[in-house]
């Protein structure tokens, strides 16, 4: 790719992991590699990703531990095939390279908000919309997770608040995606919600009920809504 980058790793995406052909899709790259620990910058500023045509790809580094070479990153792949392997190349080992990340381009305009929930002090939106969150009360971080570090919310008022945003109001069709784990029985609370907690404000609520069922409620302009239930979750398991 460039003589200034001394090392590279080949990343192969198994087509069996791709349900259907995709374009401009953010791919999770997660691994631990001692070579990367030895030769990449301590803050991973020099890490870049290239596709098979030589095109440099937008990426966001969610976390990197230089002591072990443990990387969690999101890379915007131009295309993913469900029938053939997709090959990307990660380059590193450029001691003078400035930060190569471009998070806002990984998450395009179809993403209104992306929060990795991995810092107890700040919850930042990776998109260009800057829907950053504020952490309230004693929220703890945990490395026991599906992807990197996560936040653990206990009972009571532990939460992250985004604040008012008209951009997030009255969206008729949307996708809400998250990983959750229920550690104990009998819990009840919001997973995510967009309203002022009154029945008069249009919005939506995505909640965990006390019987470990997931429920979703959407207020419409006439004040009506509908719950959609999923079967009970198993305590201690992860769900997406």
């Amino acid at each position: 790719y460039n003589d200034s980058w001394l090392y590279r790793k080949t990343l192969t995406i198994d087509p069996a992991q791709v349900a259907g052909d995709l374009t401009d899709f953010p791919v999770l790259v997660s691994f631990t590699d001692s070579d990367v620990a030895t030769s990449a910058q301590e803050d991973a500023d020099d890490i870049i990703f290239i596709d098979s045509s030589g095109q440099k790809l937008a990426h966001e580094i969610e976390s990197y531990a230089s002591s072990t070479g443990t990387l969690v990153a999101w890379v915007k792949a131009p295309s993913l095939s469900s029938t053939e392997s997709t090959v990307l190349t990660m380059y590193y080992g450029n001691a003078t390279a400035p930060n190569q990340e471009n998070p806002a381009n990984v998450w395009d305009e179809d993403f209104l908000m992306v929060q990795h929930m991995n810092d107890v002090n700040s919850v930042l939106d990776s998109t260009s919309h800057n829907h950053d969150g504020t952490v309230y009360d004693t929220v703890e971080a945990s490395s026991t997770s599906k992807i990197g570090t996560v936040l653990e919310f206990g009972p009571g008022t532990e939460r992250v608040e985004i604040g008012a945003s008209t951009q997030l109001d009255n969206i008729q069709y949307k996708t809400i995606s998250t990983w959750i784990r229920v550690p104990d029985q009998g819990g009840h609370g919001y997973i995510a919600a967009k309203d002022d907690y009154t029945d008069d404000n249009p919005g939506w609520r995505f909640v965990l009920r006390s019987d470990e069922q997931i429920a979703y409620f959407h207020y419409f302009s006439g004040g009506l809504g509908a719950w959609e239930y999923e079967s009970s979750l198993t305590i201690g398991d992860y769900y997406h």
Side-chain angles (χ1 to χ4, degrees):
Y1 167 74
N2 184 301
D3 290 342
S4 297
W5 274 266
L6 303 180
Y7 307 102
R8 65 185 180 185
K9 297 283 183 179
T10 299
L11 309 175
T12 303
I13 301 171
D14 186 346
Q17 302 297 316
V18 183
D21 292 351
L22 299 167
T23 58
D24 294 333
F25 190 83
V27 173
L28 172 65
V29 174
S30 179
F31 62 78
T32 296
D33 191 297
S34 59
D35 292 340
V36 177
T38 299
S39 301
Q41 291 186 23
E42 287 191 359
D43 55 7
D45 276 356
D46 57 329
I47 287 178
I48 60 175
F49 297 88
I50 308 296
D51 69 6
S52 58
S53 70
Q55 176 185 355
K56 182 180 177 182
L57 306 179
H59 77 277
E60 176 190 14
I61 294 179
E62 182 175 335
S63 64
Y64 176 66
S66 60
S67 59
T68 60
T70 300
L71 175 72
V72 177
W74 297 89
V75 182
K76 188 175 184 179
S79 63
L80 292 174
S81 172
S82 59
T83 58
E84 299 180 356
S85 295
T86 301
V87 178
L88 307 178
T89 304
M90 187 188 85
Y91 284 83
Y92 61 101
N94 183 340
T96 61
N99 192 331
Q100 300 294 305
E101 292 182 78
N102 187 2
N105 197 30
V106 176
W107 312 100
D108 61 24
E109 289 302 310
D110 289 333
F111 294 90
L112 292 184
M113 183 170 63
V114 174
Q115 294 176 334
H116 299 301
M117 296 283 184
N118 57 5
D119 189 336
V120 298
N121 298 309
S122 62
V123 177
L124 303 179
D125 180 11
S126 293
T127 75
S128 61
H129 304 299
N130 298 318
H131 296 306
D132 300 333
T134 301
V135 180
Y136 287 88
D137 294 336
T138 308
V139 177
E140 296 183 353
S142 173
S143 59
T144 304
S145 67
K146 283 291 186 180
I147 304 172
T149 301
V150 296
L151 299 185
E152 291 186 344
F153 298 89
T157 57
E158 296 179 7
R159 67 197 187 278
V160 172
E161 287 192 5
I162 308 304
S165 172
T166 56
Q167 189 178 43
L168 301 175
D169 290 339
N170 301 318
I171 303 172
Q172 186 175 7
Y173 302 106
K174 57 185 171 291
T175 298
I176 305 167
S177 176
T178 184
W179 278 100
I180 64 169
R181 175 180 175 270
V182 183
D184 303 303
Q185 289 183 327
H188 174 82
Y190 290 94
I191 298 169
K194 177 65 176 75
D195 61 24
D196 62 3
Y197 306 101
T198 70
D199 289 339
D200 298 324
N201 184 41
W204 50 266
R205 299 176 185 180
F206 186 32
V207 304
L208 172 69
R209 303 197 324 172
S210 56
D211 59 1
E212 284 78 51
Q213 283 191 329
I214 295 293
Y216 176 77
F217 186 47
H218 192 127
Y219 290 98
F220 298 95
S221 58
L224 301 176
W227 289 99
E228 297 291 340
Y229 296 99
E230 293 294 335
S231 58
S232 296
L233 307 184
T234 300
I235 300 299
D237 287 352
Y238 285 92
Y239 292 87
H240 181 261

